[in-house]
Amino acid sequence: MKLEPKAVLQIQKPIEEVFEGIVNPFHMTKYFIAESNGRLETGNEVVWKFPEFSEKFPITEIHTESPHTISFVWDPETVVNIKLEKQADQSTIVRVNEKGKELNEKNLAWALENSGGWANFLACLKAYLEYGIELRKGAFDFMRNNSTTS
């Protein structure tokens, strides 16, 4: 059995704006990461730095189909898939899932933590795109140098 952390949220913005908010490092540094050396685009490999961790995270095997699909690997055992669905009212449903790890006690803890992490990602994305609020800013400062995962 493979574990699959998931999160879903509706954002009151057009699909193109939501897609750009996810692939563009200028926007991502306003709600998710501290640094990135490039866009999430097919064929690119980028490195992310989170504000609360000293480690850097390579993002590989990036594949995008504008404005509907974003996938990448940031852990050798898992693939992150982000699907965007345009709604009649011009809002966008964003679905995130992460696949790959086998069921065991350690990976179950990982799946629960990452489900919460992706829910937080979506809430921060929504706050930023809809209201210009940097919801993540300072939210995880207590974790600085206490862990190596996001």
Side-chain angles (χ1 to χ4, degrees):
M1 173 185 204
K2 299 272 186 185
L3 295 170
E4 186 175 348
K6 296 180 184 182
V8 61
L9 193 67
Q10 189 165 351
I11 298 177
Q12 304 304 311
K13 289 292 181 179
I15 193 170
E16 295 82 9
E17 284 185 47
V18 177
F19 183 86
E20 186 65 15
I22 297 170
V23 301
N24 186 326
F26 172 81
H27 296 299
M28 289 188 79
T29 59
K30 305 295 185 193
Y31 70 90
F32 186 52
I33 56 177
E35 301 172 18
S36 175
N37 66 339
R39 289 175 63 89
L40 293 177
E41 293 181 326
T42 299
N44 278 0
E45 290 192 4
V46 301
V47 177
W48 286 349
K49 168 86 176 66
F50 289 86
E52 61 270 19
F53 305 118
S54 58
E55 297 82 13
K56 293 186 177 186
F57 298 84
I59 309 304
T60 63
E61 298 180 41
I62 299 168
H63 180 76
T64 59
E65 293 179 23
S66 181
H68 301 284
T69 306
I70 303 154
S71 68
F72 56 87
V73 172
W74 72 345
D75 168 340
E77 298 176 53
T78 62
V79 176
V80 175
N81 291 296
I82 304 173
K83 304 284 185 191
L84 288 73
E85 302 168 13
K86 181 178 181 176
Q87 301 300 293
D89 66 357
Q90 297 304 306
S91 67
T92 305
I93 294 177
V94 183
R95 299 179 190 277
V96 181
N97 72 29
E98 199 168 2
K99 295 182 181 179
K101 293 190 187 247
E102 295 292 334
L103 176 59
N104 62 41
E105 191 172 324
K106 177 185 172 192
N107 290 344
L108 183 57
W110 163 86
L112 292 170
E113 184 176 335
N114 279 24
S115 288
W118 287 117
N120 182 64
F121 165 84
L122 291 175
C124 291
L125 175 63
K126 181 178 181 71
Y128 171 69
L129 290 179
E130 290 184 13
Y131 304 102
I133 297 170
E134 295 183 30
L135 195 59
R136 187 177 171 102
K137 187 175 183 178
F140 297 103
D141 286 354
F142 69 95
M143 295 175 69
R144 288 181 193 258
N145 301 318
N146 293 334
S147 180
T148 58
T149 60
S150 175

